[in-house]
Amino acid sequence: MTAALATDARPSGFSPRQYAICLKGIVWREGLRFLHQRERFVSALVRPLVWLFIFAAGFRQVLGVSIIPPYETYILYEVYITPGLMLLIQLFNGMQSSLSMVYDREMGNMRTLLVSPLPRWFLLSSKLVAGMVVSLPQVYTFLAIAWFWEIEAPPIGYFAVLPALVLTGLMLGALGMLMSSVSKQLENFAGAMNFVIFPMFFASSALYPLWRVKEGSPLLYYICQCNPFTHAVELVRFALYGEINWISLAVVAGCTAMFMVGAILAYDPARGLLARRGEPGAAA
């Protein structure tokens, strides 16, 4: 009788304030982790800055860029590759956040998070949002450095690109989260990152226009067209100039939903991939 009364006394749901407190706690924890890992911030900027200052200077005369949307005049090569390098920062950040999930699962911290009475989908979504929020200061720091290098976008572009960065950050973070669900050990995930990051980055419009790719290899052109990273780059490229690429927006939004649903199902204790392998997160 007492147990029945106790069961009836339990709240049937959670208030918006309780959801907000949980989201704030997860975002705050991810932010503190980022602040304590200063080398992560530096390494996130080194890769794109090397491309911007060294490779772009060498390829400027070889890879001239003609007038293509959203540009209204001829541009320097370093201006063209800037959106792709912004997404490179988010791609590595998404993989780093997912790498920390694999580490937390090995150490037991992930199990502590997933036993929360809050819905599992909300916990994973909050983790995804936290990783996206951490990536934004890194991207804007890169834009600030590029501005001193006289690589400038229209003033309105720095504000218009924020929603695009939020969506692309969620997509790349969800992809990394989905990958983390199928990686049993930290070493396996670190190796798998190389099979995702570099093919996604190089088989896209991040470094060269797709019309040039088509001239060299029609097959590679169609691969680039099917690459969601290409559409993420184009979404950010157009947003920097206050425009919307509707096709890229639809592709990025669809891939974000697909990757996120896949990650939530994979982390489901009843039917996910973790349950099949008997990992600690499955017992939550």
Side-chain angles (χ1 to χ4, degrees):
M1 183 68 176
T2 305
L5 292 175
T7 303
D8 294 336
R10 290 180 182 177
S12 57
F14 296 92
S15 67
R17 181 173 178 271
Q18 290 172 316
Y19 280 108
I21 291 174
C22 176
L23 175 61
K24 177 184 176 182
I26 294 177
V27 173
W28 183 254
R29 179 180 182 273
E30 191 70 20
L32 289 178
R33 170 183 283 182
F34 177 75
L35 290 176
H36 293 155
Q37 297 174 347
R38 297 180 180 86
E39 65 280 358
R40 177 177 167 184
F41 178 77
V42 175
S43 63
L45 292 177
V46 166
R47 286 180 290 264
L49 290 177
V50 167
W51 275 101
L52 189 64
F53 297 151
I54 300 178
F55 286 88
F59 292 150
R60 179 186 297 176
Q61 302 301 326
V62 179
L63 296 173
V65 179
S66 61
I67 303 176
I68 56 176
Y71 308 111
E72 298 179 353
T73 183
Y74 287 95
I75 58 172
L76 296 176
Y77 179 63
E78 48 262 47
V79 175
Y80 177 82
I81 66 173
T82 296
L85 297 180
M86 294 164 60
L87 267 295
L88 181 63
I89 294 175
Q90 288 195 311
L91 179 59
F92 270 95
N93 183 80
M95 294 301 163
Q96 287 279 11
S97 297
S98 300
L99 184 66
S100 69
M101 291 185 67
V102 178
Y103 176 81
D104 288 346
R105 203 165 68 227
E106 287 188 351
M107 297 296 105
N109 298 334
M110 180 58 66
R111 182 179 181 180
T112 302
L113 174 65
L114 294 180
V115 297
S116 167
L118 286 161
R120 186 177 296 258
W121 66 265
F122 180 79
L123 297 171
L124 294 174
S125 299
S126 299
K127 180 73 173 177
L128 180 61
V129 170
M132 177 275 298
V133 170
V134 166
S135 73
L136 294 179
Q138 302 175 59
V139 174
Y140 275 97
T141 301
F142 171 76
L143 283 175
I145 297 174
W147 184 83
F148 283 104
W149 201 255
E150 299 183 352
I151 301 173
E152 305 176 22
I156 189 63
Y158 293 102
F159 299 96
V161 77
L162 179 59
L165 290 174
V166 169
L167 185 56
T168 56
L170 291 175
M171 184 192 78
L172 298 173
L175 174 61
M177 184 178 293
L178 180 60
M179 289 180 54
S180 71
S181 67
V182 299
S183 298
K184 188 173 182 179
Q185 294 181 335
L186 195 65
E187 296 80 6
N188 296 341
F189 182 76
M193 286 171 58
N194 294 326
F195 290 96
V196 173
I197 291 178
F198 294 112
M200 285 190 70
F201 180 68
F202 287 108
S204 72
S205 60
L207 299 179
Y208 20 73
L210 292 187
W211 65 268
R212 282 189 172 272
V213 176
K214 191 174 183 179
E215 289 180 348
S217 172
L219 175 61
L220 181 58
Y221 168 78
Y222 291 114
I223 293 175
C224 293
Q225 287 279 28
C226 297
N227 183 359
F229 192 80
T230 293
H231 296 280
V233 171
E234 294 306 309
L235 182 65
V236 170
R237 190 188 309 281
F238 276 74
L240 275 174
Y241 290 83
E243 300 181 25
I244 301 177
N245 188 320
W246 293 104
I247 296 178
S248 295
L249 176 60
V251 172
V252 173
C255 289
T256 302
M258 182 178 64
F259 294 152
M260 189 59 201
V261 170
I264 291 174
L265 293 177
Y267 273 93
D268 189 286
R271 53 188 172 183
L273 295 172
L274 296 182
R276 298 173 191 171
R277 295 199 307 264
E279 294 207 12

